[in-house]
Amino acid sequence: MVNLSVKLNNLIFKNPVMTASGTFGYGIEYNRFFDIGLLGGIIVKGLSLNPRQGNPPPRIIETPCGMLNSIGLQNIGYNKFVSDILPQFDNIDTNLIVNIYGSEIGEFVELASKLNNYKQISALEVNVSCPNVKAGGATFGKDPEVIFVLVSSIKKVCEKPIIVKLTPNVTDIALIAQAAQSAKADAVSLINTITGMVIDTKTKKPFLGNKFGGLSGPAIYPVGLRMVYETYEKINIPIIGVGGINSPDIAIQYLLAGASLIQIGTANFVEPDISLKIIDGIMRYLENEEIDDVSKLVGLAHN
Amino acid sequence: MQTLVLSNDKVANDIYCLKLQKPYGFDYKPGQFLMIKVNNLNEPLLRRPFSIAKAVSSIDIYYKIVGLGTKILSALKNGEYIDITGPFGNNFEIKYKRLALVGGGIGVAPLIGLKNFLDEQKIESECFFGFNTAKDCFVDFGSIATIDGSSGIKGTVIDMLAHLDNSYHVYACGPNAMLSALCKLADEKGFSVDVSLESNMACGFGVCLGCSVNTIKGYKQVCKDGPIFNYTEIIW
């Protein structure tokens, strides 16, 4: 029998497969396709203290083997989230992780301290990497000193594990990961989308309403994989690998590169039950390779 | 869900009718749409939305070749399988008024499903469809207008609507130019209009938030809050 479960501090994930923020709604939308309780964890759409409208349309466009989005963190806000969404998770047997966003440090801290009170929430993922919002977001994620102050401040008010989601739009992502580790982050997740753009040759203007967007999908997996590999050699806290995973093979590559857990993103749009197929594929791989514990795969690509 | 292709025939210039085996328990309301993955490769990556024209013995979809996805779709042969999700979206609400269906080009497709439904319910309706030329026309009912006059009256679909007044409710789908001309006429004549909108979308069920449309109540999602909206809601 193969063990797929993974531990992160006191949290137990029944398998290493989670769904990435912004690609899985608030989770319940996927119940029509499969039992979301089978997942290792669910990371819900980025939440802010106040509701956000998001960016003007058009917001998405397909690119070769990928897509570009500029949603701009549209979300229902803290109050509605805790009143309407959280109670629905009372009986769902998976780790609910809330991705949080603020336009300044104080907002992140206030949100984290409020969410700390809810037993349905297993951990927080701090979004310091959204490329589509002007204040905060990715600008936080590019400065190691700001990351240190932000994460330390959140750790003071929140007892739940803190995962820091990193942007790939930096020169040295491992340096940012080290800053998160110094501030006592419990894990880092990487990568968020890569900034890009498309120009409409008919209008001769940027296609997206927000001009720039974040590139995701299988096109970006080699980039995410390389960054996980590099970061693994520089930090000791667990890495959650994300970026372009849409098959068991790519998921396994991320584990081999050093990710303890992985997140499925854009592939959820295309194949709503892809996560189950990936869990199953990882299980078969381990059986074929006669490896009895998924944790034994982590980092095997390194010497 | 893997679904059997029953036929996939060219019915007009660049326009095809795809018939799929209707899955057990498939429940559809006129106005709803499907998401189709045109192949099982990474390219094109996303599913494509298609309105459902009929779901009685088979699921019928009319589509126009506009890009890579629909080009690949047009090469499908009967006996092959294709992956669908859905049906998604809201549906046309039947109003207790005189009903007119107004479509332009491939935008006629969702109205075919509505017409079938109204006929089944023995509810009377008038149909007005506009195309560029006779070669683009893929319906065999309703009043037709073509820009070049090669079928029906010469002109646009709007030219056939002079008699509409406030006793009418219109269901419309078509290019933006047609919809804005229709809404201008609606403001003058006092009839009400529900429009079926089109948008790029990644998921089809309200999670990607990519298909936002600007309304008087803020952004709404075409896939989940629509695709059918009252025209007065939309900020054009």
Side-chain angles (χ1 to χ4, degrees):
Chain A
M1 189 61 193
V2 169
N3 177 36
L4 279 186
S5 72
V6 179
K7 257 188 99 173
L8 177 75
N9 294 1
N10 294 327
L11 276 186
I12 294 174
F13 295 80
K14 62 180 78 169
N15 60 63
V17 178
M18 300 193 277
T19 53
S21 176
T23 66
F24 209 67
Y26 294 104
I28 13 237
E29 294 92 331
Y30 278 81
N31 263 328
R32 68 182 274 171
F33 300 107
F34 68 98
D35 173 8
I36 60 174
L38 296 170
L39 294 166
I42 292 170
I43 305 172
V44 294
K45 176 77 189 156
L47 185 71
S48 47
L49 268 180
N50 298 313
R52 286 177 62 98
Q53 273 274 318
N55 287 329
R59 291 176 168 188
I60 57 167
I61 183 161
E62 188 166 335
T63 57
C65 298
M67 66 177 276
L68 209 53
N69 88 77
S70 63
I71 310 303
L73 288 172
Q74 177 181 334
N75 79 94
I76 58 177
Y78 167 81
N79 286 337
K80 203 160 182 218
F81 177 74
V82 296
S83 65
D84 296 5
I85 305 292
L86 271 189
Q88 300 187 58
F89 275 88
D90 285 345
N91 298 311
I92 298 177
D93 179 26
T94 186
N95 288 312
L96 175 68
I97 298 172
V98 179
N99 180 288
I100 60 166
Y101 166 77
S103 56
E104 42 155 353
I105 291 181
E107 238 178 281
F108 275 103
V109 171
E110 186 181 345
L111 188 54
S113 104
K114 285 181 159 176
L115 293 170
N116 189 43
N117 301 324
Y118 293 90
K119 62 175 187 339
Q120 297 97 333
I121 301 171
S122 300
L124 300 184
E125 183 180 65
V126 183
N127 183 356
V128 291
S129 52
C130 182
N132 295 324
V133 288
K134 288 194 178 72
T139 49
F140 275 55
K142 288 176 181 175
D143 185 339
E145 285 172 30
V146 177
I147 291 278
F148 182 84
V149 175
L150 175 67
V151 176
S152 315
S153 314
I154 292 173
K155 284 296 285 184
K156 278 184 200 140
V157 299
C158 184
E159 293 156 2
K160 297 181 191 293
I162 300 297
I163 302 159
V164 183
K165 186 165 184 183
L166 304 179
T167 174
N169 304 310
V170 291
T171 314
D172 184 359
I173 198 168
L175 196 70
I176 314 286
Q178 285 169 323
Q181 176 175 267
S182 312
K184 303 279 187 293
D186 298 278
V188 287
S189 48
L190 55 147
I191 56 173
N192 204 322
T193 56
I194 302 170
T195 326
M197 80 182 296
V198 165
I199 295 173
D200 183 340
T201 50
K202 268 189 212 146
T203 64
K204 304 179 182 64
K205 292 284 179 284
F207 180 86
L208 294 174
N210 192 46
K211 286 189 195 170
F212 305 145
L215 181 64
S216 65
I220 72 164
Y221 105 77
V223 180
L225 194 66
R226 186 266 293 175
M227 290 188 165
V228 166
Y229 187 95
E230 278 187 349
T231 305
Y232 182 76
E233 299 194 335
K234 298 279 173 61
I235 62 171
N236 307 313
I237 55 175
I239 296 171
I240 303 171
V242 49
I245 302 176
N246 70 349
S247 70
D249 189 76
I250 298 177
I252 292 160
Q253 291 186 50
Y254 268 96
L255 298 171
L256 294 169
S260 303
L261 296 146
I262 54 125
Q263 297 176 11
I264 315 293
T266 298
N268 292 314
F269 299 147
V270 183
E271 255 185 282
D273 61 353
I274 185 76
S275 299
L276 298 188
K277 290 174 186 161
I278 289 173
I279 295 167
D280 192 53
I282 294 172
M283 173 88 96
R284 282 163 196 267
Y285 176 83
L286 292 170
E287 281 168 359
N288 287 338
E289 296 286 321
E290 296 179 355
I291 298 170
D292 62 359
D293 193 320
V294 69
S295 303
K296 291 186 181 165
L297 280 183
V298 177
L300 277 187
H302 298 259
N303 292 324
Chain B
M1 185 188 314
Q2 289 290 320
T3 311
L4 180 67
V5 176
L6 300 175
S7 64
N8 186 26
D9 299 324
K10 190 169 178 174
V11 292
N13 202 15
D14 279 343
I15 292 176
Y16 286 72
C17 177
L18 173 67
K19 289 180 192 263
L20 301 171
Q21 190 169 62
K22 191 170 135 180
Y24 179 75
F26 187 90
D27 185 25
Y28 141 87
K29 296 192 184 86
Q32 289 191 298
F33 65 95
L34 283 182
M35 296 292 282
I36 297 182
K37 181 79 173 86
V38 299
N39 60 21
N40 54 12
L41 307 173
N42 283 332
E43 180 76 5
L45 180 67
L46 301 175
R47 289 174 184 271
R48 299 286 188 272
F50 296 96
S51 63
I52 302 167
K54 212 187 219 180
V56 184
S57 53
S58 56
I59 303 174
D60 297 6
I61 281 154
Y62 290 89
Y63 63 93
K64 183 178 182 176
I65 298 182
V66 291
L68 178 65
T70 41
K71 177 94 188 148
I72 293 168
L73 195 61
S74 70
L76 264 190
K77 301 271 185 299
N78 57 339
E80 294 185 79
Y81 283 82
I82 192 143
D83 197 82
I84 65 168
T85 50
F88 298 123
N90 64 358
N91 54 282
F92 291 111
E93 265 178 50
I94 309 306
K95 302 279 163 65
Y96 294 100
K97 291 177 87 174
R98 298 166 83 175
L99 304 180
L101 280 55
V102 177
I106 193 63
V108 169
L111 301 174
I112 297 174
L114 176 60
K115 177 65 178 163
N116 283 322
F117 176 80
L118 294 173
D119 286 353
E120 271 169 33
Q121 304 289 313
K122 305 207 170 11
I123 300 169
E124 272 184 44
S125 60
E126 299 168 28
C127 296
F128 306 96
F129 302 133
F131 300 95
N132 283 328
T133 74
K135 284 181 185 162
D136 301 310
C137 175
F138 60 97
V139 280
D140 55 6
F141 62 92
S143 307
I144 306 294
T146 50
I147 302 292
D148 68 354
S150 53
S151 179
I153 70 139
K154 187 173 186 320
T156 73
V157 68
I158 304 297
D159 298 334
M160 297 189 286
L161 307 178
H163 66 291
L164 298 193
D165 57 26
N166 62 9
S167 65
Y168 276 88
H169 179 73
V170 170
Y171 301 100
C173 185
N176 273 342
M178 180 204 102
L179 293 179
S180 58
L182 178 69
C183 293
K184 206 173 144 218
L185 191 68
D187 285 339
E188 279 168 32
K189 305 265 191 170
F191 57 85
S192 52
V193 185
D194 284 341
V195 294
S196 175
L197 295 185
E198 203 179 38
S199 172
N200 280 352
M201 52 182 75
C203 69
F205 49 96
V207 295
C208 79
L209 306 180
C211 62
S212 298
V213 56
N214 205 2
T215 77
I216 51 172
K217 293 171 192 158
Y219 291 129
K220 289 198 171 188
Q221 306 312 129
V222 171
C223 72
K224 199 172 142 218
D225 305 313
I228 296 143
F229 294 89
N230 189 277
Y231 89 101
T232 55
E233 268 183 87
I234 306 294
I235 299 173
W236 295 94

